[in-house]
Amino acid sequence: QVQLVESGGGLVQPGGSLRLSCAASGSIFRINAMGWYRQAPGKQRELVAGIPSGGSTNYADSVKGRFTISRDNAKNTVYLQMNSLKPEDTAVYYCNADIRAQWYSGIYEYWGQGIQVTVSS
């Protein structure tokens, strides 16, 4: 059973910073791409940032230059450093990963339970 558990959310003032973490646990043979999505009230879930197992990262235009995604493969963890936060960054943030549980199994997409980030004064 694979689980993704997010941490690091909360309330922050505009201009502040937060660092989200997402740790994958359970039966894991290999993790391919990992990413962060967010969903604000009344809006569709959107990709914030993605990081493949190798290669360059990608970001939504709205967060470029402010957010940085990184991963620690030894810890099966992906991070999202969020700087210069704005009220419009308020959303539930979800971790996402494409994981092969066993060497012989297929690659499946997994989601975390979501974590609230609120940017408000």
Side-chain angles (χ1 to χ4, degrees):
Q1 184 77 12
V2 175
Q3 284 189 317
L4 300 180
V5 179
E6 300 109 335
S7 60
L11 173 65
V12 64
Q13 292 187 341
S17 298
L18 281 176
R19 189 191 193 209
L20 303 183
S21 299
C22 172
S25 63
S27 175
I28 297 172
F29 175 74
R30 179 175 292 133
I31 301 177
N32 292 348
M34 304 185 81
W36 289 94
Y37 288 71
R38 68 185 181 187
Q39 187 167 19
K43 294 188 177 182
Q44 290 189 331
R45 190 174 297 188
E46 63 174 356
L47 174 67
V48 176
I51 183 167
S53 57
S56 60
T57 56
N58 61 287
Y59 297 92
D61 288 342
S62 59
V63 307
K64 282 181 181 176
R66 301 188 297 121
F67 291 10
T68 302
I69 189 171
S70 61
R71 62 191 285 174
D72 184 334
N73 291 329
K75 296 182 178 180
N76 290 335
T77 299
V78 62
Y79 305 96
L80 186 67
Q81 178 66 44
M82 304 185 293
N83 299 327
S84 302
L85 282 160
K86 305 175 180 179
E88 50 263 44
D89 294 318
T90 296
V92 177
Y93 284 71
Y94 297 89
C95 174
N96 171 274
D98 294 332
I99 297 174
R100 186 188 299 273
Q102 306 290 342
W103 66 267
Y104 50 80
S105 65
I107 298 172
Y108 296 94
E109 183 179 48
Y110 292 87
W111 291 89
Q113 78 284 359
I115 192 164
Q116 179 69 46
V117 170
T118 302
V119 185
S120 175
S121 55

